[in-house]
Amino acid sequence: MSARDRLTDGLYGAGWATVKKLPEPAAVRLGRTVADVAWKQRGAGVRRLESNYARVVPGASAQRLAALSRAGMRSYLRYWMESFRLPAWSTERIKSGFAPTDLHHLTDGMAAGRGVILALPHLANWDLAGAWVTTKLGIPFTTVAERLKPETLYDRFVAYREGLGMEVLPHSGGTAFGTLARRLRDGGLVCLVADRDLSASGVEVDFFGETARMPAGPALLAQQTGALLLPVTLWYDDSPVMRGRVHPAVEVPGSGTRAEKTSVMTQALADAFATGIADHPEDWHMLQRLWLKDLDPAKAPGARERGAQ
């Protein structure tokens, strides 16, 4: 392991070991302080976040984009502070930490036994939403995680999410899709973060007026298994409680090739994501390149910008 990898792993390890022991008000203050320092330094991630927000809020002034990126960094660090602390949260704290609307789309689908796919963008805290599903609803689910470097960091994230009641499969290796399909055919729940493609098989979509690439997996799984495909969007307000919405199901088109159906369904997901992101842009934690115009042609398709998410 390189010195840089050891440092990265050590920093995340220190975060989990230290932050989870802090009183909640102290963790909130720490997160805001770290966010403001990072924002003032205007590193590559902050500049990319601001550039992405310029697509989401067209015509925004430089001052508006700067305010959005500062709020975005605070939201991003809230995600991290909560995630570091989640393993130490009580059952009641998890149950009271999330308040979604239109939950019947999920519960009715599970009751029907047909399997359900929840597809989310990088909004607010998807780990908290997952912990709430396993704790409040008592529904286990399967998800996929990007293999991070160093491997020890990936192992930390897998152990962390498994500790919250999730079954975690590696994104690479070629076996995840088959396992997800089996879980869905058994009437299970699958949750996927699906607003950024990490493979060479992504689907081009119109996203805020420009072309981006999003994963085909959610749409393909729905077609192959008959599972319900539900977009979910999340956001923060000024309270300690995260908010969310379960959107109506994305239907499988009645005609067309598999590729055509996948394209239509992935565009419908992108449209639902765009609705949530436009309403709460500061909670969209996209510090990487997303739109095709921004990607290095030598790296796309399947450009992989490493990040611990």
mmCIF file of all heavy atoms in Angstrom, residues 69-111:
data_model
loop_
_atom_site.group_PDB
_atom_site.id
_atom_site.type_symbol
_atom_site.label_atom_id
_atom_site.label_comp_id
_atom_site.label_asym_id
_atom_site.label_seq_id
_atom_site.Cartn_x
_atom_site.Cartn_y
_atom_site.Cartn_z
ATOM 1 N N SER A 69 -22.462 26.633 -3.828
ATOM 2 C CA SER A 69 -21.362 25.701 -3.579
ATOM 3 C C SER A 69 -20.992 25.684 -2.100
ATOM 4 O O SER A 69 -20.618 24.635 -1.563
ATOM 5 C CB SER A 69 -20.144 26.036 -4.440
ATOM 6 O OG SER A 69 -19.590 27.286 -4.101
ATOM 7 N N ARG A 70 -21.116 26.814 -1.421
ATOM 8 C CA ARG A 70 -20.853 26.809 0.028
ATOM 9 C C ARG A 70 -21.910 25.974 0.756
ATOM 10 O O ARG A 70 -21.579 25.131 1.604
ATOM 11 C CB ARG A 70 -20.862 28.233 0.577
ATOM 12 C CG ARG A 70 -20.505 28.288 2.060
ATOM 13 C CD ARG A 70 -20.455 29.710 2.577
ATOM 14 N NE ARG A 70 -19.911 29.762 3.922
ATOM 15 C CZ ARG A 70 -19.802 30.865 4.636
ATOM 16 N NH1 ARG A 70 -20.187 32.030 4.124
ATOM 17 N NH2 ARG A 70 -19.299 30.833 5.859
ATOM 18 N N ALA A 71 -23.175 26.175 0.386
ATOM 19 C CA ALA A 71 -24.243 25.367 0.981
ATOM 20 C C ALA A 71 -24.071 23.900 0.612
ATOM 21 O O ALA A 71 -24.339 23.002 1.421
ATOM 22 C CB ALA A 71 -25.606 25.885 0.523
ATOM 23 N N GLY A 72 -23.609 23.648 -0.624
ATOM 24 C CA GLY A 72 -23.391 22.281 -1.060
ATOM 25 C C GLY A 72 -22.307 21.583 -0.263
ATOM 26 O O GLY A 72 -22.437 20.411 0.092
ATOM 27 N N MET A 73 -21.226 22.292 0.044
ATOM 28 C CA MET A 73 -20.167 21.696 0.852
ATOM 29 C C MET A 73 -20.646 21.441 2.277
ATOM 30 O O MET A 73 -20.288 20.431 2.898
ATOM 31 C CB MET A 73 -18.936 22.594 0.851
ATOM 32 C CG MET A 73 -18.202 22.633 -0.484
ATOM 33 S SD MET A 73 -17.694 20.990 -1.079
ATOM 34 C CE MET A 73 -16.493 20.526 0.190
ATOM 35 N N ARG A 74 -21.461 22.323 2.802
ATOM 36 C CA ARG A 74 -22.013 22.086 4.136
ATOM 37 C C ARG A 74 -22.930 20.863 4.137
ATOM 38 O O ARG A 74 -22.912 20.061 5.075
ATOM 39 C CB ARG A 74 -22.770 23.324 4.623
ATOM 40 C CG ARG A 74 -21.854 24.490 4.992
ATOM 41 C CD ARG A 74 -22.639 25.680 5.511
ATOM 42 N NE ARG A 74 -21.747 26.698 6.064
ATOM 43 C CZ ARG A 74 -22.165 27.807 6.662
ATOM 44 N NH1 ARG A 74 -23.476 28.038 6.798
ATOM 45 N NH2 ARG A 74 -21.291 28.676 7.144
ATOM 46 N N SER A 75 -23.717 20.709 3.086
ATOM 47 C CA SER A 75 -24.574 19.543 2.976
ATOM 48 C C SER A 75 -23.732 18.275 2.838
ATOM 49 O O SER A 75 -24.025 17.240 3.452
ATOM 50 C CB SER A 75 -25.506 19.687 1.765
ATOM 51 O OG SER A 75 -26.280 18.526 1.562
ATOM 52 N N TYR A 76 -22.678 18.352 2.038
ATOM 53 C CA TYR A 76 -21.793 17.205 1.833
ATOM 54 C C TYR A 76 -21.134 16.783 3.143
ATOM 55 O O TYR A 76 -21.048 15.589 3.462
ATOM 56 C CB TYR A 76 -20.739 17.593 0.794
ATOM 57 C CG TYR A 76 -19.810 16.479 0.364
ATOM 58 C CD1 TYR A 76 -20.298 15.236 0.001
ATOM 59 C CD2 TYR A 76 -18.431 16.706 0.284
ATOM 60 C CE1 TYR A 76 -19.434 14.224 -0.422
ATOM 61 C CE2 TYR A 76 -17.570 15.706 -0.139
ATOM 62 C CZ TYR A 76 -18.076 14.474 -0.480
ATOM 63 O OH TYR A 76 -17.230 13.479 -0.890
ATOM 64 N N LEU A 77 -20.666 17.744 3.922
ATOM 65 C CA LEU A 77 -20.051 17.403 5.208
ATOM 66 C C LEU A 77 -21.090 16.950 6.222
ATOM 67 O O LEU A 77 -20.777 16.142 7.100
ATOM 68 C CB LEU A 77 -19.253 18.591 5.737
ATOM 69 C CG LEU A 77 -17.746 18.548 5.412
ATOM 70 C CD1 LEU A 77 -17.070 17.385 6.154
ATOM 71 C CD2 LEU A 77 -17.473 18.444 3.917
ATOM 72 N N ARG A 78 -22.325 17.410 6.096
ATOM 73 C CA ARG A 78 -23.374 16.849 6.952
ATOM 74 C C ARG A 78 -23.537 15.366 6.653
ATOM 75 O O ARG A 78 -23.686 14.551 7.580
ATOM 76 C CB ARG A 78 -24.700 17.586 6.749
ATOM 77 C CG ARG A 78 -25.852 16.974 7.545
ATOM 78 C CD ARG A 78 -27.118 17.804 7.483
ATOM 79 N NE ARG A 78 -28.240 17.073 8.106
ATOM 80 C CZ ARG A 78 -29.451 17.596 8.297
ATOM 81 N NH1 ARG A 78 -29.707 18.846 7.922
ATOM 82 N NH2 ARG A 78 -30.412 16.862 8.852
ATOM 83 N N TYR A 79 -23.502 15.026 5.366
ATOM 84 C CA TYR A 79 -23.554 13.607 4.995
ATOM 85 C C TYR A 79 -22.446 12.828 5.693
ATOM 86 O O TYR A 79 -22.674 11.755 6.277
ATOM 87 C CB TYR A 79 -23.433 13.452 3.469
ATOM 88 C CG TYR A 79 -23.026 12.069 3.020
ATOM 89 C CD1 TYR A 79 -23.959 11.050 2.942
ATOM 90 C CD2 TYR A 79 -21.694 11.774 2.712
ATOM 91 C CE1 TYR A 79 -23.588 9.765 2.552
ATOM 92 C CE2 TYR A 79 -21.313 10.493 2.325
ATOM 93 C CZ TYR A 79 -22.258 9.497 2.243
ATOM 94 O OH TYR A 79 -21.882 8.230 1.878
ATOM 95 N N TRP A 80 -21.213 13.344 5.644
ATOM 96 C CA TRP A 80 -20.099 12.618 6.235
ATOM 97 C C TRP A 80 -20.212 12.538 7.751
ATOM 98 O O TRP A 80 -19.947 11.490 8.352
ATOM 99 C CB TRP A 80 -18.769 13.242 5.824
ATOM 100 C CG TRP A 80 -18.347 12.800 4.456
ATOM 101 C CD1 TRP A 80 -18.260 13.561 3.329
ATOM 102 C CD2 TRP A 80 -17.982 11.478 4.072
ATOM 103 N NE1 TRP A 80 -17.867 12.791 2.266
ATOM 104 C CE2 TRP A 80 -17.685 11.511 2.688
ATOM 105 C CE3 TRP A 80 -17.887 10.264 4.754
ATOM 106 C CZ2 TRP A 80 -17.294 10.377 1.987
ATOM 107 C CZ3 TRP A 80 -17.496 9.129 4.057
ATOM 108 C CH2 TRP A 80 -17.200 9.197 2.685
ATOM 109 N N MET A 81 -20.579 13.637 8.395
ATOM 110 C CA MET A 81 -20.708 13.611 9.851
ATOM 111 C C MET A 81 -21.780 12.604 10.274
ATOM 112 O O MET A 81 -21.596 11.837 11.222
ATOM 113 C CB MET A 81 -21.059 15.003 10.386
ATOM 114 C CG MET A 81 -19.969 16.049 10.232
ATOM 115 S SD MET A 81 -18.445 15.678 11.151
ATOM 116 C CE MET A 81 -17.347 15.248 9.795
ATOM 117 N N GLU A 82 -22.900 12.596 9.566
ATOM 118 C CA GLU A 82 -23.952 11.623 9.878
ATOM 119 C C GLU A 82 -23.478 10.201 9.618
ATOM 120 O O GLU A 82 -23.745 9.287 10.411
ATOM 121 C CB GLU A 82 -25.198 11.908 9.038
ATOM 122 C CG GLU A 82 -25.963 13.145 9.456
ATOM 123 C CD GLU A 82 -27.169 13.405 8.570
ATOM 124 O OE1 GLU A 82 -27.260 12.776 7.485
ATOM 125 O OE2 GLU A 82 -28.009 14.241 8.939
ATOM 126 N N SER A 83 -22.772 10.006 8.517
ATOM 127 C CA SER A 83 -22.336 8.662 8.162
ATOM 128 C C SER A 83 -21.313 8.129 9.164
ATOM 129 O O SER A 83 -21.360 6.950 9.532
ATOM 130 C CB SER A 83 -21.758 8.648 6.750
ATOM 131 O OG SER A 83 -22.770 8.938 5.797
ATOM 132 N N PHE A 84 -20.391 8.980 9.593
ATOM 133 C CA PHE A 84 -19.440 8.551 10.611
ATOM 134 C C PHE A 84 -20.152 8.180 11.913
ATOM 135 O O PHE A 84 -19.713 7.299 12.641
ATOM 136 C CB PHE A 84 -18.426 9.656 10.884
ATOM 137 C CG PHE A 84 -17.387 9.833 9.810
ATOM 138 C CD1 PHE A 84 -16.899 11.096 9.507
ATOM 139 C CD2 PHE A 84 -16.886 8.750 9.101
ATOM 140 C CE1 PHE A 84 -15.933 11.273 8.525
ATOM 141 C CE2 PHE A 84 -15.922 8.918 8.109
ATOM 142 C CZ PHE A 84 -15.444 10.185 7.825
ATOM 143 N N ARG A 85 -21.268 8.857 12.191
ATOM 144 C CA ARG A 85 -21.956 8.665 13.468
ATOM 145 C C ARG A 85 -23.072 7.614 13.421
ATOM 146 O O ARG A 85 -23.517 7.141 14.464
ATOM 147 C CB ARG A 85 -22.549 10.002 13.940
ATOM 148 C CG ARG A 85 -21.492 11.010 14.362
ATOM 149 C CD ARG A 85 -22.085 12.393 14.657
ATOM 150 N NE ARG A 85 -23.188 12.301 15.595
ATOM 151 C CZ ARG A 85 -23.044 12.102 16.911
ATOM 152 N NH1 ARG A 85 -21.835 11.961 17.420
ATOM 153 N NH2 ARG A 85 -24.099 12.040 17.701
ATOM 154 N N LEU A 86 -23.520 7.251 12.236
ATOM 155 C CA LEU A 86 -24.648 6.332 12.126
ATOM 156 C C LEU A 86 -24.468 5.027 12.904
ATOM 157 O O LEU A 86 -25.418 4.554 13.546
ATOM 158 C CB LEU A 86 -24.931 6.015 10.654
ATOM 159 C CG LEU A 86 -26.025 6.826 9.967
ATOM 160 C CD1 LEU A 86 -26.102 6.456 8.489
ATOM 161 C CD2 LEU A 86 -27.369 6.610 10.625
ATOM 162 N N PRO A 87 -23.274 4.401 12.883
ATOM 163 C CA PRO A 87 -23.140 3.147 13.638
ATOM 164 C C PRO A 87 -23.374 3.316 15.135
ATOM 165 O O PRO A 87 -23.659 2.331 15.825
ATOM 166 C CB PRO A 87 -21.689 2.725 13.342
ATOM 167 C CG PRO A 87 -21.373 3.359 12.030
ATOM 168 C CD PRO A 87 -22.086 4.678 12.074
ATOM 169 N N ALA A 88 -23.229 4.550 15.640
ATOM 170 C CA ALA A 88 -23.431 4.788 17.070
ATOM 171 C C ALA A 88 -24.833 5.318 17.379
ATOM 172 O O ALA A 88 -25.175 5.491 18.554
ATOM 173 C CB ALA A 88 -22.378 5.778 17.591
ATOM 174 N N TRP A 89 -25.632 5.591 16.344
ATOM 175 C CA TRP A 89 -26.989 6.085 16.586
ATOM 176 C C TRP A 89 -27.855 4.972 17.177
ATOM 177 O O TRP A 89 -27.731 3.803 16.804
ATOM 178 C CB TRP A 89 -27.614 6.562 15.278
ATOM 179 C CG TRP A 89 -27.217 7.947 14.876
ATOM 180 C CD1 TRP A 89 -26.185 8.689 15.369
ATOM 181 C CD2 TRP A 89 -27.841 8.754 13.866
ATOM 182 N NE1 TRP A 89 -26.114 9.904 14.734
ATOM 183 C CE2 TRP A 89 -27.123 9.972 13.809
ATOM 184 C CE3 TRP A 89 -28.911 8.566 13.006
ATOM 185 C CZ2 TRP A 89 -27.465 10.987 12.931
ATOM 186 C CZ3 TRP A 89 -29.251 9.578 12.126
ATOM 187 C CH2 TRP A 89 -28.548 10.779 12.095
ATOM 188 N N SER A 90 -28.740 5.370 18.056
ATOM 189 C CA SER A 90 -29.697 4.414 18.604
ATOM 190 C C SER A 90 -30.738 4.061 17.538
ATOM 191 O O SER A 90 -30.893 4.768 16.534
ATOM 192 C CB SER A 90 -30.404 5.002 19.821
ATOM 193 O OG SER A 90 -31.249 6.080 19.434
ATOM 194 N N THR A 91 -31.446 2.966 17.788
ATOM 195 C CA THR A 91 -32.521 2.575 16.873
ATOM 196 C C THR A 91 -33.538 3.689 16.734
ATOM 197 O O THR A 91 -33.992 4.002 15.617
ATOM 198 C CB THR A 91 -33.202 1.297 17.387
ATOM 199 O OG1 THR A 91 -32.237 0.237 17.398
ATOM 200 C CG2 THR A 91 -34.366 0.898 16.495
ATOM 201 N N GLU A 92 -33.876 4.330 17.835
ATOM 202 C CA GLU A 92 -34.875 5.392 17.785
ATOM 203 C C GLU A 92 -34.364 6.608 17.028
ATOM 204 O O GLU A 92 -35.126 7.274 16.322
ATOM 205 C CB GLU A 92 -35.298 5.789 19.206
ATOM 206 C CG GLU A 92 -36.170 4.756 19.893
ATOM 207 C CD GLU A 92 -37.387 4.377 19.046
ATOM 208 O OE1 GLU A 92 -38.068 5.301 18.543
ATOM 209 O OE2 GLU A 92 -37.645 3.169 18.868
ATOM 210 N N ARG A 93 -33.069 6.903 17.162
ATOM 211 C CA ARG A 93 -32.507 8.052 16.432
ATOM 212 C C ARG A 93 -32.568 7.799 14.933
ATOM 213 O O ARG A 93 -32.866 8.718 14.155
ATOM 214 C CB ARG A 93 -31.060 8.285 16.876
ATOM 215 C CG ARG A 93 -30.363 9.451 16.144
ATOM 216 C CD ARG A 93 -31.003 10.779 16.491
ATOM 217 N NE ARG A 93 -30.364 11.884 15.796
ATOM 218 C CZ ARG A 93 -30.720 12.339 14.585
ATOM 219 N NH1 ARG A 93 -31.728 11.747 13.922
ATOM 220 N NH2 ARG A 93 -30.103 13.350 14.032
ATOM 221 N N ILE A 94 -32.286 6.587 14.508
ATOM 222 C CA ILE A 94 -32.376 6.267 13.083
ATOM 223 C C ILE A 94 -33.822 6.358 12.614
ATOM 224 O O ILE A 94 -34.119 6.937 11.566
ATOM 225 C CB ILE A 94 -31.801 4.868 12.808
ATOM 226 C CG1 ILE A 94 -30.289 4.863 13.055
ATOM 227 C CG2 ILE A 94 -32.100 4.432 11.372
ATOM 228 C CD1 ILE A 94 -29.639 3.497 12.941
ATOM 229 N N LYS A 95 -34.738 5.794 13.386
ATOM 230 C CA LYS A 95 -36.150 5.805 12.991
ATOM 231 C C LYS A 95 -36.697 7.218 12.866
ATOM 232 O O LYS A 95 -37.570 7.482 12.025
ATOM 233 C CB LYS A 95 -36.976 5.014 14.002
ATOM 234 C CG LYS A 95 -36.782 3.508 13.946
ATOM 235 C CD LYS A 95 -37.664 2.816 14.985
ATOM 236 C CE LYS A 95 -37.532 1.310 14.922
ATOM 237 N NZ LYS A 95 -38.388 0.638 15.956
ATOM 238 N N SER A 96 -36.206 8.132 13.699
ATOM 239 C CA SER A 96 -36.716 9.511 13.677
ATOM 240 C C SER A 96 -35.902 10.431 12.774
ATOM 241 O O SER A 96 -36.219 11.605 12.631
ATOM 242 C CB SER A 96 -36.727 10.086 15.095
ATOM 243 O OG SER A 96 -35.401 10.201 15.609
ATOM 244 N N GLY A 97 -34.855 9.888 12.123
ATOM 245 C CA GLY A 97 -33.949 10.731 11.352
ATOM 246 C C GLY A 97 -34.339 10.943 9.910
ATOM 247 O O GLY A 97 -33.669 11.689 9.194
ATOM 248 N N PHE A 98 -35.413 10.288 9.458
ATOM 249 C CA PHE A 98 -35.810 10.371 8.051
ATOM 250 C C PHE A 98 -37.324 10.377 7.969
ATOM 251 O O PHE A 98 -37.997 9.606 8.661
ATOM 252 C CB PHE A 98 -35.234 9.171 7.294
ATOM 253 C CG PHE A 98 -35.551 9.126 5.817
ATOM 254 C CD1 PHE A 98 -35.524 10.277 5.036
ATOM 255 C CD2 PHE A 98 -35.863 7.921 5.195
ATOM 256 C CE1 PHE A 98 -35.807 10.220 3.676
ATOM 257 C CE2 PHE A 98 -36.135 7.848 3.847
ATOM 258 C CZ PHE A 98 -36.110 9.002 3.084
ATOM 259 N N ALA A 99 -37.874 11.259 7.130
ATOM 260 C CA ALA A 99 -39.327 11.373 7.000
ATOM 261 C C ALA A 99 -39.698 11.442 5.519
ATOM 262 O O ALA A 99 -39.828 12.529 4.948
ATOM 263 C CB ALA A 99 -39.833 12.609 7.738
ATOM 264 N N PRO A 100 -39.861 10.289 4.852
ATOM 265 C CA PRO A 100 -40.208 10.297 3.429
ATOM 266 C C PRO A 100 -41.711 10.434 3.202
ATOM 267 O O PRO A 100 -42.517 10.065 4.060
ATOM 268 C CB PRO A 100 -39.719 8.922 2.957
ATOM 269 C CG PRO A 100 -39.881 8.051 4.163
ATOM 270 C CD PRO A 100 -39.605 8.931 5.361
ATOM 271 N N THR A 101 -42.057 10.954 2.047
ATOM 272 C CA THR A 101 -43.452 11.004 1.622
ATOM 273 C C THR A 101 -43.673 9.971 0.514
ATOM 274 O O THR A 101 -42.728 9.492 -0.111
ATOM 275 C CB THR A 101 -43.843 12.394 1.105
ATOM 276 O OG1 THR A 101 -43.041 12.713 -0.047
ATOM 277 C CG2 THR A 101 -43.611 13.458 2.177
ATOM 278 N N ASP A 102 -44.941 9.658 0.279
ATOM 279 C CA ASP A 102 -45.340 8.708 -0.775
ATOM 280 C C ASP A 102 -44.661 7.352 -0.607
ATOM 281 O O ASP A 102 -44.329 6.663 -1.596
ATOM 282 C CB ASP A 102 -45.054 9.283 -2.161
ATOM 283 C CG ASP A 102 -45.873 10.543 -2.435
ATOM 284 O OD1 ASP A 102 -46.994 10.643 -1.910
ATOM 285 O OD2 ASP A 102 -45.370 11.430 -3.148
ATOM 286 N N LEU A 103 -44.499 6.946 0.651
ATOM 287 C CA LEU A 103 -43.859 5.675 0.949
ATOM 288 C C LEU A 103 -44.679 4.485 0.457
ATOM 289 O O LEU A 103 -44.142 3.385 0.268
ATOM 290 C CB LEU A 103 -43.629 5.572 2.462
ATOM 291 C CG LEU A 103 -42.792 4.403 2.971
ATOM 292 C CD1 LEU A 103 -41.363 4.484 2.447
ATOM 293 C CD2 LEU A 103 -42.810 4.372 4.504
ATOM 294 N N HIS A 104 -45.969 4.712 0.207
ATOM 295 C CA HIS A 104 -46.830 3.606 -0.218
ATOM 296 C C HIS A 104 -46.361 2.961 -1.512
ATOM 297 O O HIS A 104 -46.627 1.771 -1.754
ATOM 298 C CB HIS A 104 -48.276 4.095 -0.371
ATOM 299 C CG HIS A 104 -48.454 5.126 -1.448
ATOM 300 N ND1 HIS A 104 -48.787 4.790 -2.741
ATOM 301 C CD2 HIS A 104 -48.328 6.481 -1.423
ATOM 302 C CE1 HIS A 104 -48.874 5.899 -3.469
ATOM 303 N NE2 HIS A 104 -48.611 6.939 -2.698
ATOM 304 N N HIS A 105 -45.664 3.723 -2.365
ATOM 305 C CA HIS A 105 -45.140 3.118 -3.591
ATOM 306 C C HIS A 105 -44.206 1.958 -3.249
ATOM 307 O O HIS A 105 -44.225 0.916 -3.916
ATOM 308 C CB HIS A 105 -44.394 4.158 -4.426
ATOM 309 C CG HIS A 105 -45.265 5.243 -4.971
ATOM 310 N ND1 HIS A 105 -46.347 4.991 -5.778
ATOM 311 C CD2 HIS A 105 -45.211 6.598 -4.817
ATOM 312 C CE1 HIS A 105 -46.934 6.140 -6.114
ATOM 313 N NE2 HIS A 105 -46.253 7.121 -5.544
ATOM 314 N N LEU A 106 -43.391 2.136 -2.216
ATOM 315 C CA LEU A 106 -42.478 1.081 -1.789
ATOM 316 C C LEU A 106 -43.205 -0.031 -1.037
ATOM 317 O O LEU A 106 -43.045 -1.220 -1.371
ATOM 318 C CB LEU A 106 -41.376 1.674 -0.900
ATOM 319 C CG LEU A 106 -40.499 0.678 -0.131
ATOM 320 C CD1 LEU A 106 -39.777 -0.268 -1.087
ATOM 321 C CD2 LEU A 106 -39.498 1.423 0.748
ATOM 322 N N THR A 107 -43.992 0.326 -0.046
ATOM 323 C CA THR A 107 -44.612 -0.704 0.791
ATOM 324 C C THR A 107 -45.629 -1.533 0.006
ATOM 325 O O THR A 107 -45.727 -2.753 0.199
ATOM 326 C CB THR A 107 -45.268 -0.064 2.025
ATOM 327 O OG1 THR A 107 -46.183 0.961 1.614
ATOM 328 C CG2 THR A 107 -44.203 0.550 2.936
ATOM 329 N N ASP A 108 -46.375 -0.894 -0.889
ATOM 330 C CA ASP A 108 -47.325 -1.654 -1.717
ATOM 331 C C ASP A 108 -46.588 -2.610 -2.645
ATOM 332 O O ASP A 108 -47.028 -3.750 -2.863
ATOM 333 C CB ASP A 108 -48.209 -0.709 -2.539
ATOM 334 C CG ASP A 108 -49.197 0.069 -1.681
ATOM 335 O OD1 ASP A 108 -49.301 -0.228 -0.473
ATOM 336 O OD2 ASP A 108 -49.848 0.996 -2.218
ATOM 337 N N GLY A 109 -45.472 -2.147 -3.212
ATOM 338 C CA GLY A 109 -44.700 -3.001 -4.098
ATOM 339 C C GLY A 109 -44.122 -4.200 -3.363
ATOM 340 O O GLY A 109 -44.141 -5.323 -3.874
ATOM 341 N N MET A 110 -43.617 -3.972 -2.156
ATOM 342 C CA MET A 110 -43.075 -5.088 -1.378
ATOM 343 C C MET A 110 -44.183 -6.062 -0.986
ATOM 344 O O MET A 110 -43.985 -7.280 -1.022
ATOM 345 C CB MET A 110 -42.361 -4.555 -0.133
ATOM 346 C CG MET A 110 -41.108 -3.732 -0.419
ATOM 347 S SD MET A 110 -39.836 -4.636 -1.343
ATOM 348 C CE MET A 110 -39.441 -5.962 -0.201
ATOM 349 N N ALA A 111 -45.340 -5.525 -0.618
ATOM 350 C CA ALA A 111 -46.454 -6.392 -0.220
ATOM 351 C C ALA A 111 -46.922 -7.258 -1.384
ATOM 352 O O ALA A 111 -47.399 -8.384 -1.179
ATOM 353 C CB ALA A 111 -47.607 -5.545 0.304
#
